[in-house]
């Protein structure tokens, strides 16, 4: 009887199980899904409540807030306690109590699951708990049913199995025969009896599980172990007599455990296992072979403690052998089936041999000749099959779908084995059954590779290479496993050196013994000692080819792999990895043996990631694909190996750091766009750059080149690291590597140098260029020139760019073969329209040659050109980000760097534009015609830079060549530019031609095409103002400059007069005499009304918007002013102010509003409610407010300025008496660019007068003949709205001449006018209710 279980053991295992569930969401959700399916669907209310409890529990698990977690757990517990007797609720309660650290209650809830459905609990829900707690008590049940199974199967005579009596010796060793062959010989009664046995077995297991649940509960209740609780007696099948179950002297049953993990499974399953006859003569305890062919990668450095295993002594059997069947539960095949059908089933359902069985067979002496060798029997079986032969693969090795030998075999839950790709395609087509048995698959996720079968196939392939080579005459491949091929070549005794030969023989004998122990020993410690002994032999002796061949045999390699899987001794693991690396570096077959099983590679990777850094050498020798390396997720481990001191590593065939560098370079060479940047950033953030820089001086050229590749990727992704590389890298070894490198490696080295000289300090850049030019064993310039002549076309521009920079380190000479070749190459690539990649590379190279970069290596060419055009925002932004660390530098140093950059730019531009008298401009002009956006953009930037540089270079006639081929192209691009920056860059290029008489003449002929764009730019770009000035000074007729086109006219007469208009961004606001405010948006040539509000009860006389644009203010004759919030599609009144008087001509500042009341003076109203009257002696007709100063136009033709801060009143124009009995009021005032514009009647000969706001001197007037009622002023034009006739006159602001007259088409007066923000659109409102807009064209 098994020993009693303590409460501590129970809690340890149940707590470990619940903790694992809480940490693995995928496993937890899968089990919840299983339990939902098992729950009866009759009561949907219960299901709904349990689902709510499950969701609440998930929220508690995922939250990090302790108070939220506790409240969620309380809610879940309340729900679950209302339904305590279900599988689902018991499982959830076990997790809930585990979260609350109530582990005893969690164990009780988990045992409720075992009590409710033992079969489900032990197979799907908690198999690990079943193994750890239940199995040990169920050994008698297993033994009882095992003996009954044996009794049924033993009735089959040995002859029916196909063995002659004279081959009885075969049973003295462990052999494997086909279980299907046994089943095919059974009668119908035997088949039924086995089925009934399995049903009884399941029932007995269920009842015993329930018994044990009660026992475990009792143990938990006796927590202080005050009384001894004995395990319950086991229930055996009722058909089994009590005396058939024998007890030993200690009262314990002698039971042989096949494998603990599967003791709860049926005694057979559908498919085919094997039936094994084990010798009873062995008195030693043997390891329990795993039931499934699987290999789990060890957690070597995380968990040194292996799981416990139970081993029992095999009972003595009278027959001398015991029949052990692990076949599964498909007994549909009976003896009545035809032999051909049985053989076909044998071929499709064979050889799922347990890993342990294979190991046990390998433990036979590897050089002994045994007639009962398992492989020999297997070979014999395969030869008996139809079409069999020594070169014909056994049918067990052939996929039933593809009819080819397995490459990646997988064994389904039905026991059938298929090629992975074939069965995956079967499942992908929508099938969910096994192709042979037609049984439904519980899971469509394929299991791991059947590596046992794969190893057997690999062994068979070795013995039968290619199916065409002559098979060995030796009928037993095991005999020739290791030594047979080496005995003939071992050193023979030499009469000249008997003592030396004796020593050698003794050493080889010791080595053979160590190899034998490695491959055969059942004791792990002996195998580990053997590994250490073999390592000692290898290091101390000069191992010859014979010894190497002996150690390279697959059986020995597999022995080393077994050590990697099972050992936890770091010294042994390092020795195994060392030996595999030494052998693999000398013999490719070793690598082939290791790569035949995926789990072997996974194990080696796991060892490396868990701290065995020497394993990286073995991974490198395995030559994994780049995709495999990425999937292994070992970048961090590679960086650890790179950063570790090399003295801490073993002395190996390849340094671990070198292997790590090479593997990391392979990963960074991936074509996966999203992966490489993140890995490069990881390398930089891990501070491994300095260690990689050290590899540039490595002895091995491949390591140096790999380091170059890594550093190149790091500079491309995290550019700031280039400063560290430029400062610390020794470039001479890299230059020396160039000569022996491949073409791809050479280009990578050139790319590395090109990236390295993208430094933000010009002086430092030139120092690095000097190092590249002068160091190395060969002339760098000559080497690059030779390579340039043979490089691929799309690589040539980068080579030419580097060569040109090296040539320019000295003052440009009249003739340089390097410069001529480099520039000719750039021009040739630009013109090669058949290869756009080369064209783009050439244009981008020219852009980079300007030589200005940020600290991250990004080109500043575009930003610096925009700065010169007047748009320096982009440049300032980049420099602010770039030079945060440079704020402490001396201004002298910054000045020196700027001067060096200007000098470099001047020299580079000179040699480029001077080549063949501007031939480069012709090539760039062709590139500008391309529809390839990337090429066009690069050519545009390059051309703009070079044309602009013509202003600072000596005029040698090249400007004329550039004008001929580029002027019209840039005018076209200026007109069609879609954004301000593109327009500004085009303008910068055109400005280079404006100082040339011929160029100015050509530009003047296209003046109308340029004026609109220049006007758009003049607000933000001083260069546009300068160009407009040049054009204006050179043009006699201003009339040709200005032209307005009518856009739209809207009739709003239903709402009365249009009294006020204001423009803001893309909206137009209008105020009407019936109290309506309308919001319009202009789209093309149509005004769209998007909102209309009529909250004022009387006429809206004025509208105003602050510069911030947050609020709209309206003044009305209803004695109120309203504040409106401006939305995207509407306005909303947010505040109403009682002004006490009708409001005319409202102007606002941040805290006050000024308006003209009903009588004399001006009223100043504070938003807080206070008000005062200013200028009470004047009747004011118009107002404007600028910078705290209020300007008033009065009825008596006087104009005053009032300083609101001090109350000071100044007179700009004195009032006059009535002229010819008529008053001459000032109807309109505008302030623009320090000038005051007033509009009135032309009684004194000038309808509009202009004063300086600084000294009140009149500086001009407009001799218009109409009475001006409204004014609008732009940077260039003055707009006058007349009292009658619907006329708008347009005057030139500079020359004060009339340039155009617009007609509204009505006889009403123009009451209000407004310009949009760009001063391109004029909007007017008339007294007859019309709104009309014109565009400056």
């Amino acid at each position: 009887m098994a020993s009693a279980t303590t409460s501590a053991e129970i809690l340890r295992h149940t707590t470990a199980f619940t903790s694992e569930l809480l940490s693995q969401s995928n496993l937890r959700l899968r089990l919840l899904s299983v339990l939902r399916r098992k729950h009866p669907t009759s009561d949907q209310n219960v299901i709904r409540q349990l689902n709510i409890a499950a969701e609440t529990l998930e929220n508690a698990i995922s939250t990090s807030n302790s108070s939220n977690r506790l409240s969620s757990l309380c809610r879940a517990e309340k729900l679950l306690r209302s339904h305590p007797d279900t599988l689902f609720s018991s499982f959830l309660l076990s997790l809930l109590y585990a979260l609350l650290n109530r582990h005893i209650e969690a164990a009780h809830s988990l045992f409720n699951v075992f009590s409710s459905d033992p079969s489900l609990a032990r197979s799907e829900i908690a198999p690990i708990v079943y193994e750890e707690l239940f199995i040990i008590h169920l050994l008698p049940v297993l033994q009882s049913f095992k003996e009954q199974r044996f009794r049924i199967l033993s009735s089959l005579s040995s002859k029916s199995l196909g063995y002659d009596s004279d081959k009885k010796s075969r049973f003295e060793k462990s052999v494997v025969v086909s279980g299907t062959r046994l089943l095919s010989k059974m009668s119908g009664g035997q088949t039924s009896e086995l089925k009934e046995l399995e049903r009884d077995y399941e029932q007995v297991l269920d009842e015993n599980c329930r018994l044990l649940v009660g026992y475990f509960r009792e143990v938990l209740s006796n927590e202080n172990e005050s009384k001894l609780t004995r395990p319950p007696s086991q229930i055996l099948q009722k058909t089994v007599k009590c005396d058939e179950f024998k007890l030993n002297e200690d009262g314990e049953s002698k039971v042989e455990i096949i494998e603990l993990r599967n003791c709860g499974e049926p005694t057979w399953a559908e498919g085919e296992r094997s039936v094994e006859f084990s010798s009873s003569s062995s008195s030693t305890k043997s390891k329990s072979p795993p039931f499934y062919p699987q290999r789990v990668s060890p957690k070597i450095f995380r968990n040194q403690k292996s799981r416990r295993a139970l081993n029992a002594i095999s009972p003595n059997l009278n027959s001398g052998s015991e029949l052990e069947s692990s076949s599964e539960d498909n007994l549909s095949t009976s003896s009545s089936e035809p032999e051909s059908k049985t053989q076909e089933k044998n071929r499709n359902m064979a050889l799922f041999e347990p890993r342990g069985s294979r190991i046990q067979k390998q433990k036979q002496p590897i050089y002994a000749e045994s007639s009962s060798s398992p492989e020999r029997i297997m070979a014999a079986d395969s030869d008996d099959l139809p079409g069999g032969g020594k070169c014909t693969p056994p049918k067990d090795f052939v996929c039933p779908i593809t009819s080819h030998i397995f490459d990646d075999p997988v064994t389904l839950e039905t026991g059938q084995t298929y090629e992975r790709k074939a069965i995956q395609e079967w499942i992908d087509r929508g099938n969910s059954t096994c192709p042979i048995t037609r049984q439904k698959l519980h899971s469509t996720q394929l299991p791991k590779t059947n590596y046992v079968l794969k190893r057997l196939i690999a062994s068979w392939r070795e013995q039968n290479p290619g199916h065409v080579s002559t098979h060995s005459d030796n009928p037993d491949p095991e005999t020739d496993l290791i030594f047979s091929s080496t005995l003939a070549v071992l050193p023979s005794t030499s009469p000249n050196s008997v003592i030396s030969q004796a020593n050698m023989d003794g050493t080889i004998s010791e080595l053979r013994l160590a190899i034998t122990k490695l491959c055969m020993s059942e004791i792990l410690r002996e195998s580990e000692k053997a590994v250490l002994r073999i390592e000692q032999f290898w290091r101390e002796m000069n191992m010859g080819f014979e010894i190497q061949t002996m150690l390279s045999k697959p059986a020995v390699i597999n022995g080393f792999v077994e050590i990697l899987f099972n050992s936890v001794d770091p010294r042994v693991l390092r020795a195994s990895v060392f030996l595999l690396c030494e052998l693999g570096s000398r013999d490719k077959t070793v690598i082939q043996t290791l790569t035949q099983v995926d789990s072997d590679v996974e194990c080696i990777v796991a060892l490396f990631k868990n701290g065995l850094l020497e394993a990286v050498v073995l991974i490198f020798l395995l030559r994994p694909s780049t995709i495999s390396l990425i999937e292994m997720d070992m970048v961090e481990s590679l960086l650890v190996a790179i950063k570790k001191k090399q003295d801490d590593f073993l002395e190996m065939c390849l340094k671990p750091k070198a292997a790590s560098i090479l593997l990391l370079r392979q990963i960074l060479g991936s074509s996966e766009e999203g992966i490489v940047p993140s890995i490069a950033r990881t390398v930089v953030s891990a501070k491994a750059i300095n260690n990689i820089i050290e590899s540039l001086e490595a002895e091995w050229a491949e390591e140096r080149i790999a380091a170059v590749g890594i550093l190149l990727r790091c500079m491309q992704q995290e550019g700031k690291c280039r400063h560290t590389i430029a400062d610390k890298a020794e470039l001479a070894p890299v230059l020396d590597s160039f000569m022996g490198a491949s073409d791809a490696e050479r280009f990578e080295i050139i790319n590395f140098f090109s990236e390295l000289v993208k430094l933000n300090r010009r002086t430092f850049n030139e120092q690095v260029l000097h190092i590249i030019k002068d160091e190395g064993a060969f002339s760098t310039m000559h080497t690059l020139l030779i390579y340039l002549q043979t490089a691929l076309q799309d690589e040539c521009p980068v080579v030419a760019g580097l060569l040109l920079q090296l040539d320019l380190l000295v003052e440009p000479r009249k003739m340089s073969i390097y410069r001529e070749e480099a520039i000719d190459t750039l021009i040739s690539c630009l013109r090669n329209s058949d290869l756009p990649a080369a064209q783009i590379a050439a244009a981008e190279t020219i852009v980079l040659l300007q030589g200005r970069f940020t600290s991250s290596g990004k080109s500043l060419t575009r930003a610096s050109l925009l700065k010169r055009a007047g748009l320096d925002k982009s440049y300032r932004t980049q420099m602010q980000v770039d030079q945060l660390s440079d704020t402490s530098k001396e201004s002298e140093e910054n000045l020196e760097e700027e001067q060096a950059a200007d000098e470099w730019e001047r020299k580079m531009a000179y040699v480029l534009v001077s080549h063949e008298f501007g031939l480069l401009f012709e090539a760039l002009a062709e590139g500008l015609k391309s529809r390839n956006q990337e090429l066009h953009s690069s050519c545009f930037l390059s051309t703009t830079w070079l044309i602009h540089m013509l202003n600072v270079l000596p005029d040698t006639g090249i400007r004329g060549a550039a004008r001929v081929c580029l002027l019209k192209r840039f005018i076209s691009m200026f007109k069609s530019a879609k954004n301000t920056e593109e327009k500004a860059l085009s303008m910068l290029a055109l400005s280079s031609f404006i100082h040339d008489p011929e160029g100015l003449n050509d530009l003047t002929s296209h003046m109308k095409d340029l004026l609109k764009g220049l006007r758009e730019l003049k607000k933000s770009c001083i260069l546009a103002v300068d160009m407009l000035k040049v054009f204006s000074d050179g043009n006699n007729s201003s009339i040709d400059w200005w032209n307005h086109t009518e856009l739209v006219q809207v009739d709003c007469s239903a709402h009365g007069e249009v009294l006020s208009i204001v423009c803001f961004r893309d909206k137009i606001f209008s105020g009407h005499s019936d109290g309506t405010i309308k919001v319009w948006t202009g789209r093309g040539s149509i005004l769209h009304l998007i909102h209309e509000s009529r909250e004022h009860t009387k006429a809206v006389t004025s509208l105003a918007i602050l510069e911030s644009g947050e609020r709209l203010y309206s003044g009305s004759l209803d004695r109120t002013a309203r504040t409106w919030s401006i939305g995207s599609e509407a306005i909303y009144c947010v505040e109403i102010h009682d002004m006490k008087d009708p409001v005319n001509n409202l102007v606002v500042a941040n805290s006050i509003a000024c308006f003209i009341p009903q009588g004399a003076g001006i009223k100043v109203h504070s938003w807080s409610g206070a008000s005062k009257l200013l200028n009470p002696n004047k009747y004011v007709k118009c107002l404007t407010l600028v910078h705290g100063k209020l300007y008033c136009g009065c009825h008596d033709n006087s104009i005053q300025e009032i300083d609101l801060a001090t109350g000071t009143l100044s007179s700009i124009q004195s009032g006059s008496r009535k002229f010819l009995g008529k008053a001459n009021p000032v109807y309109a005032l505008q302030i623009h660019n320090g000038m005051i514009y007033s509009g009135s009647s032309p009684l004194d000969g000038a309808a509009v007068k202009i004063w300086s706001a600084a000294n009140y001197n009149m500086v001009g007037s407009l001799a218009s003949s109409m009475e001006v009622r409204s004014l609008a002023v732009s940077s260039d034009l003055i707009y006058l709205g007349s009292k009658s006739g619907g006329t708008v006159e347009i005057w030139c602001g500079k020359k004060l001449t009339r340039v155009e007259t617009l007609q509204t088409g009505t006889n009403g007066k123009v009451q209000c006018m407004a310009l949009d923000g760009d001063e391109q659109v004029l909007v007017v409102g008339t007294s007859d209710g019309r709104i009309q807009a014109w565009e400056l064209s």
Side-chain angles (χ1 to χ4, degrees), residues 148 188 235 321 380 467 595 617 620 625 704 750 841 1032 1062 1228 1248 1252 1269:
Q148 292 178 69
I235 298 175
S321 65
H467 297 281
T595 54
V617 178
F620 171 74
S625 65
R704 296 199 297 267
I750 290 173
S1032 176
V1062 64
V1248 176
S1252 169
R1269 288 301 181 98

Side-chain angles (χ1 to χ4, degrees), residues 993-1046:
F993 301 115
I994 208 167
H995 303 292
D996 176 26
E998 293 183 6
L1000 179 59
N1001 185 53
D1002 290 343
L1003 286 171
T1004 303
S1005 64
H1006 297 87
M1007 187 170 59
K1008 288 187 178 181
D1009 296 329
L1010 300 175
L1011 287 178
K1012 181 180 178 181
L1014 291 173
R1015 291 190 192 113
E1016 292 174 0
L1017 289 172
K1018 68 182 178 181
K1019 280 191 174 183
S1020 56
C1021 180
I1022 190 64
L1023 183 61
V1025 176
D1026 293 340
M1027 291 186 68
L1028 282 171
K1029 184 177 179 181
V1030 172
F1031 284 141
S1032 176
D1033 292 342
N1035 187 57
N1036 294 323
S1037 175
S1038 298
I1039 297 176
D1040 296 336
W1041 274 63
W1042 315 109
N1043 185 27
H1044 288 75
T1045 303
E1046 183 177 353

Side-chain angles (χ1 to χ4, degrees), residues 1-5 134 136-138 140-141 207-216 218-219 229-235:
M1 180 176 291
S3 60
T5 304
F134 289 79
I136 191 66
H137 299 283
L138 296 176
V141 178
E207 290 305 316
N208 280 291
C209 282
R210 292 188 176 97
L211 273 178
L212 289 171
V213 166
Y215 163 64
F216 294 145
E218 189 175 352
V219 172
T229 305
R230 301 187 64 84
S233 300
Q234 300 301 307
I235 298 175

Side-chain angles (χ1 to χ4, degrees), residues 52 368 460 654 666 769 789 1047 1103 1133 1137 1157 1260:
I52 293 173
W460 183 86
L654 176 63
Q666 185 178 346
L769 284 168
Q789 295 169 346
L1047 292 177
L1103 296 171
C1133 183
H1137 305 277

Side-chain angles (χ1 to χ4, degrees), residues 123 239 247 291 387 459 488 512 555 565 586 642 707 754 794 804 811 894 915 922 929 944 952 988 1006 1064 1252 1254:
S123 61
T239 57
L247 302 178
F291 195 73
S459 178
R512 286 182 185 173
F565 270 101
R586 292 167 168 79
I642 289 170
S754 298
D794 56 348
L804 188 56
E811 190 66 27
N894 290 332
H915 181 77
E922 295 181 15
K929 298 176 184 177
T944 301
V952 298
L988 181 66
H1006 297 87
F1064 177 69
S1252 169

Side-chain angles (χ1 to χ4, degrees), residues 22 150 202 264-265 380 534 602 627 666 745 985 1144 1172:
L22 291 173
F150 171 73
E202 286 290 323
E265 297 297 325
I534 294 171
E602 293 170 4
I627 295 176
Q666 185 178 346
E745 292 169 343
L985 290 173
N1144 289 285
K1172 63 181 179 178

Side-chain angles (χ1 to χ4, degrees), residues 4 58 82 150 157 209 278 307 339 503 509 528 666 685 760 766 855 874 1006 1045 1078 1164 1186 1237:
E58 282 295 319
S82 60
F150 171 73
S157 64
C209 282
S278 303
R307 296 181 55 190
E339 182 66 20
N503 290 336
S509 297
E528 290 177 334
Q666 185 178 346
S685 61
N760 62 340
E766 295 186 19
S855 61
S874 174
H1006 297 87
T1045 303
K1078 295 188 176 186
V1164 179
V1186 178
Y1237 299 82

